[in-house]
Amino acid sequence: MNGELKNDRLLRALRRQPTDTTPVWIMRQAGRYLPEYRSTRARAGSFMALAQDPDLACEVTLQPLQRFDLDAAILFSDILTIPDAMGLGLSFAAGEGPKFQRPLRNSGDIDRLDVPDMDGGLRYVMDAVRTIRRELDGRVPLIGFSGSPWTLACYMVEGQGSRDFARAKALAWDDPQAMHRLLDVLARSVAAYLSAQAECGAQALMVFDTWGGLLSPPMFHELSLRYLARVTELLKVNAHAADLPVVLFSKGANAHLEALAGTGCEALGLDWTIGLDEARRRVGDRVALQGNLDPSVLYAMPEIIVREVDAAIDAFGPHPGHVFNLGHGVTPDVEPEHVKVLVDAVHEAGRRIRA
Ligand code: CP3
């Protein structure tokens, strides 16, 4: 399936195989910091209208690749498509973040949930994957993605974004069985969703556990890690997904890197609160690492960006198995020219450290 791929740095690095330089892509690389993204989004009318139109979703997926020498494309969509397809009614009010019309309020709401039909309410995502894969024409690999069961549960119970997801955590304390039923149906949904993306042409898979770091160690194991492991397990027995590298990004969960490395994933995403040298010492050659520059470095002058990229490449060292990225998404007020400086600096420093 990857036979005609012209740039396979990402897939090789995720499998910890040698590459000529360090591959780089950027979380939220298709986003509001690009004027052409804002223009396509305005044409679509809303974020969801943009995500649900496969041709427009393809257009914005490819926009950053036209500007920068990136080594991967990531499907333009959102993690909240699964709860939307489960009937919760997703919308994004301008500048306010996601909102569900029908958040989960009791265990009855949870019992009514089922794995959504990938050819029904999520068909638009699969159409986008197929369209993007065709239009990429083998230039770089396409990354498919999903939210983690725990992170999706946070939004579904809270009904919107939150600083502490207090409602979701209260449910986990007061009715752990209901929370586990929710996480179980979400794990099966996430695995089915990622498997369907693989079938439609995704070449690597990433799971965003954005709110894993909210949990105490025992709760992290019970509510986040266990269901991440369930997802990777289900992917391994799916004919389309079994051979695809899986990246797990559990933000704020650096205390659990060793445990995350043992879930059967190929790579871990890292936020910027740990050095790549320390992370690598702790996980060794068991997994590749993806990350982890502080996104605020992109506000700095070009010389500082280059210096910080150099430092990160040096911290990882000359071993295979590093995919350069930010430690979280690129922010909307970043100068696109600064992203170009970063991408070119990664390739240059990646060649230098291998020389
Ligand atoms: O990375 C990419 O370029 C691919 C597209 C992508 C989006 N969301 C598009 C998007 C991906 C991978 C996501 C993942 C996602 N979505 C996460 C996990 C990663 C993370 O950021 O922690 C989460 C938690 C969400 C939920 C979500 N979607 C929130 C909280 C918001 C509002 C906050 C914000 O940044 O505006 C969104 C909206 C969203 N998803 C935007 C984009 C480009 C901005 C919407 C807009 O255009 O107005």
Side-chain angles (χ1 to χ4, degrees), residues 202-224:
Q203 291 151 297
L205 301 171
M206 177 153 171
V207 181
F208 290 93
D209 187 34
T210 303
W211 301 115
L214 294 177
L215 297 165
S216 67
M219 293 293 264
F220 179 80
H221 278 260
E222 220 182 289
L223 303 176
S224 170

Side-chain angles (χ1 to χ4, degrees), residues 18-213:
T19 50
D20 61 334
T21 186
T22 307
V24 53
W25 69 278
I26 291 175
M27 287 190 265
R28 292 278 168 102
Q29 62 189 25
R32 285 161 295 181
Y33 75 106
L34 291 177
E36 58 272 34
Y37 169 83
R38 297 194 298 268
S39 146
T40 309
R41 186 186 185 282
R43 236 193 313 143
S46 69
F47 173 77
M48 282 309 281
L50 175 55
Q52 290 179 340
D53 182 317
D55 292 322
L56 293 182
C58 175
E59 182 180 311
V60 295
T61 299
L62 301 181
Q63 283 171 350
L65 302 174
Q66 273 131 34
R67 277 185 185 252
F68 317 120
D69 189 16
L70 293 160
D71 296 298
I74 180 161
L75 163 70
F76 186 82
S77 190
D78 199 79
I79 64 165
L80 301 179
T81 51
I82 288 180
D84 185 49
M86 285 174 154
L88 274 64
L90 173 65
S91 63
F92 288 87
E96 276 179 45
K99 210 168 180 74
F100 287 119
Q101 243 166 11
R102 293 172 290 279
L104 305 177
R105 282 292 169 251
N106 50 55
S107 66
D109 291 345
I110 290 171
D111 291 335
R112 279 188 286 276
L113 299 173
D114 215 336
V115 176
D117 180 2
M118 302 300 148
D119 275 325
L122 289 167
R123 173 82 194 215
Y124 67 92
V125 178
M126 304 312 147
D127 288 340
V129 172
R130 276 187 284 259
T131 306
I132 297 162
R133 180 67 197 274
R134 188 184 67 229
E135 292 302 313
L136 273 172
D137 195 27
R139 264 170 77 187
V140 292
L142 174 60
I143 301 168
F145 72 91
S146 171
S148 72
W150 164 246
T151 293
L152 295 180
C154 281
Y155 285 103
M156 292 168 80
V157 173
E158 206 74 31
Q160 58 189 44
S162 161
R163 197 171 39 81
D164 54 7
F165 288 92
R167 272 179 187 264
K169 291 176 86 172
L171 176 71
W173 293 121
D174 288 339
D175 194 348
Q177 289 182 340
M179 179 52 90
H180 280 292
R181 286 201 304 278
L182 173 56
L183 293 169
D184 175 73
V185 70
L186 284 170
R188 288 182 284 117
S189 301
V190 167
Y193 187 55
L194 291 171
S195 299
Q197 291 180 39
E199 183 175 1
C200 294
Q203 291 151 297
L205 301 171
M206 177 153 171
V207 181
F208 290 93
D209 187 34
T210 303
W211 301 115

